[in-house]
Amino acid sequence: MSFYDLPKAKRTQLVKKIEQEILDNLEHNTILSLQKYFSDGDTYIRKTAYLAVGNIYFANQSLKQKIVANLGKLFKSDNEKVRQTVINAIGETGKKEAEPALKLFEQAILDNHHIVRNAVIGSLKKMGEKNPKPVLAFSKKFLHHANPEVRRQVIHGVELRGRTHPEDLLPLLKEVQFEKNRRVRNITIHVLGQISYKKDCLEKVIKSLKQWENKELVKDALAEILETHKAYEKF
């Protein structure tokens, strides 16, 4: 039976059970529960587990180093679900303490499985909302990486910060305005569209685009912005 097949009361019990098991294991120097829940086939069980790790991390000062070390060990797993959940878990800790998470992301952005790379994007997004400075610095560092997939990930990863503070993101996007790779170029245009429709953001985006040299990209970005506003106008 999957997580959301359970009644709400049972789900609440299961969340508490999973968190307690992980805490007990960490306190007794074993990661059996982490391995079990991180590899579960149910997305929501894995999510419950990585949220539990975040809660335990900030509630137990004495376990912080142990958690980071064990997540590093688990990231060596051959199971992509485990590696994915490791990145989501350390992304939770990175909302306040970014350095351990960003160190592991440097490996994860080159992972051979897309669900792990997508977890990096999701973790950068949630960290960027709460702890933007190190995330923006990390993204800038990889804007010109030789691997276009890495460039795409770091651009997509800072999207949510741009929705509330476009002035933080627009200089990074301007830096890649002459990107040749189609997927990277497309995500740049997509992010411009996504940040443009949020409150007080459109004017800042347009003002920035007026200063860009790549007029072809600006034209495509303006078309994307128009389509985005049409799509969201009913909301």
Side-chain angles (χ1 to χ4, degrees):
M1 184 177 289
S2 66
F3 186 81
Y4 274 102
D5 287 335
L6 296 171
K8 184 176 180 180
K10 292 288 187 181
R11 294 199 304 269
T12 300
Q13 291 176 5
L14 180 57
V15 168
K16 291 179 179 178
K17 175 179 179 288
I18 290 173
E19 184 164 340
Q20 189 60 53
E21 280 188 27
I22 292 173
L23 175 59
D24 290 344
N25 272 207
L26 288 167
E27 290 178 335
H28 292 87
N29 295 313
T30 177
I31 55 173
L32 292 177
S33 59
L34 286 175
Q35 291 174 319
K36 177 175 72 172
Y37 293 121
F38 279 23
S39 61
D40 197 281
D42 188 329
T43 300
Y44 297 103
I45 295 294
R46 299 199 304 276
K47 182 176 181 179
T48 297
Y50 75 67
L51 290 175
V53 170
N55 291 336
I56 293 167
Y57 183 89
F58 290 113
N60 299 269
Q61 181 72 29
S62 63
L63 292 178
K64 284 186 173 183
Q65 290 186 353
K66 187 178 293 185
I67 288 170
V68 171
N70 284 327
L71 290 177
K73 291 176 184 177
L74 283 168
F75 189 71
K76 297 176 183 177
S77 171
D78 291 334
N79 186 329
E80 64 273 8
K81 288 184 175 66
V82 173
R83 300 196 306 277
Q84 174 200 43
T85 313
V86 165
I87 295 304
N88 283 323
I90 205 159
E92 290 297 312
T93 74
K95 290 177 180 179
K96 293 182 181 178
E97 299 175 10
E99 185 176 352
L102 296 177
K103 185 175 181 181
L104 199 53
F105 290 175
E106 292 195 15
Q107 301 175 54
I109 56 178
L110 295 170
D111 196 273
N112 59 13
H113 204 286
H114 67 92
I115 68 170
V116 182
R117 300 193 302 271
N118 286 342
V120 174
I121 295 170
S123 291
L124 286 172
K125 284 183 176 182
K126 65 189 178 186
M127 286 170 58
E129 284 189 291
K130 304 291 185 180
N131 193 9
K133 189 174 180 179
V135 171
L136 290 166
F138 177 86
S139 298
K140 185 174 177 61
K141 176 181 174 182
F142 288 96
L143 279 180
H144 302 291
H145 192 277
N147 186 333
E149 177 61 22
V150 171
R151 304 198 299 272
R152 188 186 71 84
Q153 288 177 78
V154 297
I155 292 169
H156 201 180
V158 289
E159 177 186 318
L160 292 189
R161 178 63 180 176
R163 293 186 185 187
T164 55
H165 296 78
E167 64 277 5
D168 288 349
L169 183 55
L170 288 165
L172 274 68
L173 299 180
K174 183 179 180 182
E175 193 171 326
V176 298
Q177 63 179 297
F178 290 102
E179 172 66 55
K180 299 297 184 183
N181 181 272
R182 179 180 59 83
R183 278 169 58 80
V184 183
R185 185 180 190 276
N186 286 348
I187 198 63
T188 301
I189 292 170
H190 167 79
V191 170
L192 284 166
Q194 289 299 304
I195 67 178
S196 71
Y197 81 93
K198 290 298 183 178
K199 184 179 179 181
D200 300 326
C201 290
L202 179 61
E203 294 81 2
K204 294 177 181 178
V205 173
I206 297 301
K207 182 179 179 180
S208 176
L209 288 176
K210 286 180 178 179
Q211 301 171 20
W212 291 25
E213 294 82 19
N214 189 339
K215 301 307 179 184
E216 182 179 350
L217 184 136
V218 169
K219 179 181 177 181
D220 291 342
L222 291 173
E224 176 73 10
I225 289 169
L226 182 60
E227 288 301 313
T228 302
H229 280 257
K230 285 181 180 179
Y232 283 106
E233 62 183 356
K234 62 182 178 181
F235 299 103

